[in-house]
């Protein structure tokens, strides 16, 4: 795709929206994998009868896709079968140390802004970690399993130190005493003219005195190389599209803060970017609709398969997917039409 008039840049300051950035390095325009459209079947497929009580429970719990988030869009582009396992079958997944650490760090950075600007210091932020970890264990008891084999607490202590380092690094990238976020952990949802409902949670929204909007997302991993930066920017453009459709305002800047490597990736979107993302999402949703109706969800093997929790159900690893729990004649568009709100910004 052709590049936009605005370039991607790596910066290290914590200025407000619209601040001039240092010399910018050009990164190619997004190359998002085209969705794989399952081949339609010639006649109606007969859904197998559940063979066990567990299958019955799965069938009752299953539901057709009704909206799209950046994460689920990424799942389908990575592997349609993974999307089915997560969205339709809703198979359980074990918490991972890395993802849980990311949740913890996000919570700390969100809560830090509850304090007055002058008190937003690194020591204060680190002091929030134990309390937020306790809260996470209360709201998501499954994370306790991460350290079930750590009776002395040595691994947990090391894991918490890693979280502290990520929090400390943030202070080298942004200055929270100069920031007054308009929103934190903002739930957004918008329905396109096609009926496709987009939704997600934005880590932080900054609004400059001039009204310019900056969307900020924290990443606890390392920044990708320039040629792979588009994968992360796709998520940010997704959010920008939702904000544009809700408020008729194109965010001035999209900013990814990589705490793992100490990089800040910025991108200034233009209308053409958001229109391209919208077309991409419509094509993606059509592929999801066809897969839902036909029951054909094909695995797409990649190096990421080694991290997947669902190998026991994946044909690529000799497994068998659960019986498809939806009627193959289901109309996704009918499911999408439920609900009257055209858009929302606020608590999910």
């Amino acid at each position: 795709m052709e590049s936009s008039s605005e370039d991607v840049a790596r910066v290290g300051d914590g200025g407000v929206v619209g601040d001039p950035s240092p010399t910018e390095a050009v990164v190619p325009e997004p190359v998002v994998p085209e969705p794989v459209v399952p081949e339609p079947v010639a006649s109606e497929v007969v859904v197998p009868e559940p063979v066990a009580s567990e299958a019955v429970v799965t069938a009752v719990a299953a539901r057709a896709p009704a909206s799209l988030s950046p994460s689920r869009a990424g799942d389908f582009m990575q592997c349609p079968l993974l999307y089915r396992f997560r969205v339709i079958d809703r198979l359980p997944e074990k918490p991972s140390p890395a993802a849980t650490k990311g949740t913890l760090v996000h919570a700390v950075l969100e809560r830090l802004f509850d304090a007055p600007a002058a008190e937003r210091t690194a020591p204060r932020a680190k002091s929030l970690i134990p309390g937020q970890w306790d809260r996470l264990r209360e709201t998501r008891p499954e994370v306790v399993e991460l350290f079930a084999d750590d009776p002395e607490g040595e691994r947990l202590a090391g894991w918490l130190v890693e979280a502290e380092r990520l929090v400390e690094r943030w202070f080298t990238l942004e200055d929270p005493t100069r920031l007054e976020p308009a929103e934190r952990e903002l739930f957004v949802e918008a329905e396109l003219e096609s009926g496709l409902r987009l939704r997600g949670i934005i880590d932080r929204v900054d609004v400059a005195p001039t009204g310019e909007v900056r969307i900020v997302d924290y990443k606890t991993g390392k920044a990708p190389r320039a040629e792979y930066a588009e994968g992360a920017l796709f998520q940010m453009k997704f959010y920008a599209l939702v904000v544009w459709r809700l408020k008729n305002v194109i965010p001035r800047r999209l900013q990814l803060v990589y705490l793992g490597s100490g990089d800040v990736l910025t991108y200034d979107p233009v209308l053409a970017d958001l229109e391209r993302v919208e077309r991409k999402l419509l094509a993606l949703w059509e592929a999801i609709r066809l897969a839902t109706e036909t029951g054909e969800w094909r695995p797409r093997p990649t190096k990421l398969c080694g991290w997947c929790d669902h190998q026991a159900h994946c044909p690529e690893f000799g497994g068998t997917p659960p019986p498809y729990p939806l009627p193959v004649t289901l109309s996704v568009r009918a499911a999408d039409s439920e609900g009257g709100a055209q858009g929302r910004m606020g608590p999910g």
Side-chain angles (χ1 to χ4, degrees), residues 72 75 82-88 90-91 93 310:
R72 299 294 78 82
D75 287 345
L82 174 63
Y83 177 96
R84 176 201 150 171
F85 288 158
R86 284 179 168 170
V87 177
I88 295 179
R90 290 189 279 176
L91 298 181
E93 296 183 352
H310 308 303

Side-chain angles (χ1 to χ4, degrees), residues 18-37:
D19 282 351
S21 60
T23 304
E24 300 186 342
V26 175
V27 174
E29 172 60 17
V31 180
V32 180
E34 294 293 336
V36 175
V37 180

Side-chain angles (χ1 to χ4, degrees), residues 228-301:
Y228 299 112
E230 181 47 36
L233 284 175
F234 172 77
Q235 171 191 1
M236 301 302 284
K237 290 180 181 180
F238 183 109
Y239 292 143
L241 171 62
V242 175
V243 171
W244 173 49
R245 287 303 189 190
L246 281 175
K247 299 294 186 180
N248 198 31
V249 173
I250 297 176
R252 171 68 177 84
R253 175 154 294 178
L254 310 178
Q255 181 166 302
L256 285 158
V257 181
Y258 285 94
L259 305 177
S261 58
D263 292 298
V264 176
L265 180 67
T266 67
Y267 187 86
D268 296 344
V270 295
L271 178 60
D273 290 323
L274 306 188
E275 291 175 336
R276 280 193 290 268
V277 171
E278 185 168 339
R279 290 194 296 270
K280 178 68 68 177
L281 291 173
L282 291 175
L284 192 67
W285 190 246
E286 179 64 13
I288 292 172
R289 184 188 67 82
L290 287 174
T292 303
E293 291 181 344
T294 63
E296 291 289 330
W297 300 89
R298 297 184 176 183
R300 183 182 297 163

Side-chain angles (χ1 to χ4, degrees), residues 156-343:
L156 173 58
W159 183 83
L160 290 172
V161 168
E162 293 172 358
E164 288 185 354
R165 290 173 181 164
L166 293 173
V167 170
E168 284 183 316
R169 183 167 290 150
W170 177 60
F171 286 83
T172 70
L173 305 174
E174 295 191 288
D175 181 0
T177 65
R178 297 177 56 210
L179 298 170
E180 290 297 341
E183 301 286 353
R184 289 171 278 155
E185 294 295 314
L186 175 66
F187 174 79
V188 292
E189 181 180 67
E191 186 172 305
L192 306 181
E193 292 181 359
S194 65
L196 171 57
R197 188 176 299 127
L198 305 178
R199 62 192 306 170
I201 298 177
I202 302 174
D203 288 347
R204 197 179 86 217
V205 178
D206 300 333
V207 180
T210 54
E212 295 174 304
V213 175
R214 174 170 62 188
I215 295 177
V216 181
D217 193 73
Y218 307 119
K219 299 293 185 185
T220 49
K222 296 181 179 180
R225 296 201 303 268
E227 60 267 32
Y228 299 112
E230 181 47 36
L233 284 175
F234 172 77
Q235 171 191 1
M236 301 302 284
K237 290 180 181 180
F238 183 109
Y239 292 143
L241 171 62
V242 175
V243 171
W244 173 49
R245 287 303 189 190
L246 281 175
K247 299 294 186 180
N248 198 31
V249 173
I250 297 176
R252 171 68 177 84
R253 175 154 294 178
L254 310 178
Q255 181 166 302
L256 285 158
V257 181
Y258 285 94
L259 305 177
S261 58
D263 292 298
V264 176
L265 180 67
T266 67
Y267 187 86
D268 296 344
V270 295
L271 178 60
D273 290 323
L274 306 188
E275 291 175 336
R276 280 193 290 268
V277 171
E278 185 168 339
R279 290 194 296 270
K280 178 68 68 177
L281 291 173
L282 291 175
L284 192 67
W285 190 246
E286 179 64 13
I288 292 172
R289 184 188 67 82
L290 287 174
T292 303
E293 291 181 344
T294 63
E296 291 289 330
W297 300 89
R298 297 184 176 183
R300 183 182 297 163
T302 68
K303 294 179 179 179
L304 297 175
C305 290
W307 299 89
C308 185
D309 281 345
H310 308 303
Q311 293 180 9
H313 297 289
C314 180
E316 294 295 324
F317 292 87
T320 302
Y324 190 55
L326 296 176
V328 295
T329 55
L330 177 68
S331 171
V332 176
R333 295 190 185 280
D336 270 352
S337 64
E338 296 179 359
Q342 293 300 307

